[in-house]
Amino acid sequence: MATMFLNNLDWRPLILTLELATCTTVGLLIIGLPLAYALAFSKNKYKVLIEAIIAMPLILPPTVLGFYLLLIFNTNSGIGIWLNKYFGVQLAFSFTGIVLGSIIYSLPFMVQPIQNALQNIPKAYLETSKLLGKSKFETLKKVLLPNIKTSIITAIVLTFAHTIGEFGVVLMIGGSIPNKTKVASIAIYEKVESLDYEGAHQYALVLILLSFIILLSVYVYNRSSVNWSLNFNKK
Amino acid sequence: MIQINLYKTLRGGNDTFTLCIEEKIKPYSFTAIFGKSGVGKSTLLRILAGLEFPDKGNIKVNDDIWWNDSRKEFKAVKERNIGFVTQQSVLFPNMTVKQQLTFSKGKNTDFKLLDEVVNLMEIENLMDVFPNTLSGGQRQRVAIARAIIQKPTLLLLDEPFTALDYEMRQQLINLTKKVAKQYKMTTFLISHHPIEIEQLATEVWIMKNGNIVDKGIPTKILKAYK
């Protein structure tokens, strides 16, 4: 019955959605880890400004972010012309553009859990590692990261899941170009616009199922993994 | 020889006072620091470890300058080779006991020394165990073993036996005494227990409001404090 229900489904928007979520998550992991580390341990009084900027997508309508990214990166803007001329890159209405938009929009979902976890690591661990002759990088690799593994996995999954549901930013900067920028959420919107409710249901149910499986796996993982820092405090 | 000349303004309750230490310590000596809470004992050890800075002064260890504010010299914590054990034994939750013991030097660990210390501390059966399953006494033995295996220039013990029951405390005191003697380490111990100090230390400093008000052989000096 499920096969019949999904019989006429065009899978390309769903595949593109997964590609977008994967690229965004990998990109954010590379950017988010050092950023979270810097924010967690920086004593600079201006770091609150960076924290506020990173958190803005949490409250800002996605269309606002998408609108300004479109203005900045369209082919007639200074930056858009420069990127196209020297790097051959066009960000507006391209897959690269929606990845960039998603990275900015999902930044707090990656940075905040990791930053909070790093800040909650007892200071004594850092001091002990230093006393045992370890550099900051060695401490990060061998003490900090293994002890915040659960938070990193949570951040990865939340970023991935959040990107799957993105609509406003992607629509504004990418439009709806099949195989390029038309992700599942936009496909649903278009199906509803054309009163094709069955088609909208197909995409919606796949997304609901996917989101549920992702979140369920996070909760199962969090329950089964050992919370090291709690163990430290117990003793 | 260790030369300490340091000054640091500290806050104790509503008052401020100056930690003022001017001492020379013989190598391989065992110095105990005795005094009420909040007189600057732990701060002194943290300054020696490089975890805190004095306002002014200098620290010289075996002709090596660890701190000199006038010459703006500072030896980084990781280069000082300090063994530091505190009341709350800090063990990394993600590492087994063996991994904790080899964390400092990795492949360059002195495995002969490791085996000796492990036997001495009676933790040979705990090598593959994670810290969350260890008792307080076992954790403390691992923490002391880890500090010793480093072959530290200074071994700093900040009330390491306080949280333990009487029997475990006696056992660890005896082990520490044996280890300090056997491996010839310059050791500082903070303790509130005169008997503990008498058992371990060659000299005791009595501290009050950041100053050493009395010092000497523990059995003589501590008579008044029993």
Side-chain angles (χ1 to χ4, degrees), chain B residues 6-23:
Chain B
L6 59 89
Y7 312 90
K8 185 179 175 75
T9 305
L10 300 176
R11 187 169 288 173
N14 295 325
D15 301 326
T16 56
F17 62 93
T18 304
L19 176 68
C20 171
I21 306 290
E22 293 172 346
E23 290 295 333

Side-chain angles (χ1 to χ4, degrees), chain B residues 30-219:
Chain B
F30 199 125
T31 309
I33 306 169
F34 182 82
K36 285 182 182 169
S37 297
V39 296
K41 304 186 298 295
S42 292
T43 306
L44 171 60
L45 291 204
R46 287 178 63 80
I47 290 173
L48 287 175
L51 298 172
E52 282 187 41
F53 306 125
D55 296 336
K56 58 178 182 170
N58 58 71
I59 301 168
K60 205 170 161 189
V61 178
N62 307 331
D63 297 328
D64 197 8
I65 294 170
W66 281 15
W67 175 270
N68 188 317
D69 65 312
S70 55
R71 285 160 63 179
K72 294 196 179 356
E73 285 183 64
F74 171 67
K75 197 174 178 86
V77 178
K78 66 188 178 88
E79 288 163 15
R80 292 189 184 198
N81 194 21
I82 297 282
F84 203 149
V85 183
T86 57
Q87 189 180 335
Q88 192 184 27
S89 44
V90 184
L91 300 180
F92 303 115
N94 59 310
M95 294 181 199
T96 62
V97 167
K98 190 174 183 183
Q99 287 168 333
Q100 315 267 353
L101 300 181
T102 55
F103 179 62
S104 175
K105 302 247 162 69
K107 286 175 186 167
N108 298 323
T109 304
D110 183 341
F111 284 97
K112 197 178 159 227
L113 173 66
L114 184 139
D115 287 339
E116 276 175 27
V117 176
V118 162
N119 286 331
L120 207 61
M121 287 289 171
E122 297 168 11
I123 52 172
E124 57 269 52
N125 297 328
L126 306 173
M127 296 301 270
D128 298 321
V129 168
F130 284 95
N132 60 329
T133 57
L134 298 176
S135 70
Q138 288 171 329
R139 289 171 70 88
Q140 209 58 322
R141 276 188 278 167
V142 173
I144 294 173
R146 183 178 61 188
I148 292 160
I149 288 162
Q150 262 184 277
K151 294 185 203 162
T153 315
L154 290 184
L155 178 63
L156 307 177
L157 306 171
D158 190 350
E159 300 185 51
F161 316 118
T162 305
L164 306 175
D165 59 52
Y166 177 78
E167 206 175 313
M168 182 55 67
R169 184 188 290 186
Q170 275 310 312
Q171 199 184 338
L172 261 187
I173 286 171
N174 292 335
L175 284 173
T176 308
K177 194 175 178 180
K178 208 192 273 186
V179 159
K181 206 173 175 184
Q182 193 165 327
Y183 300 112
K184 289 184 178 170
M185 283 177 293
T186 307
T187 308
F188 286 86
L189 165 77
I190 292 177
S191 175
H192 293 286
H193 301 278
I195 296 169
E196 195 173 288
I197 292 172
E198 282 178 4
Q199 283 176 285
L200 287 166
T202 49
E203 187 179 47
V204 63
W205 297 349
I206 310 294
M207 273 184 75
K208 206 172 178 184
N209 289 330
N211 292 286
I212 297 170
V213 292
D214 202 359
K215 64 175 185 173
I217 299 165
T219 42

Side-chain angles (χ1 to χ4, degrees), chain A residues 125 127 132 134 142 228 235, chain B residues 46 93-94 103-104 134:
Chain A
Y125 289 172
E127 288 185 348
L132 291 167
K134 297 294 164 190
K142 292 181 176 165
W228 299 111
K235 292 285 175 185
Chain B
R46 287 178 63 80
N94 59 310
F103 179 62
S104 175
L134 298 176

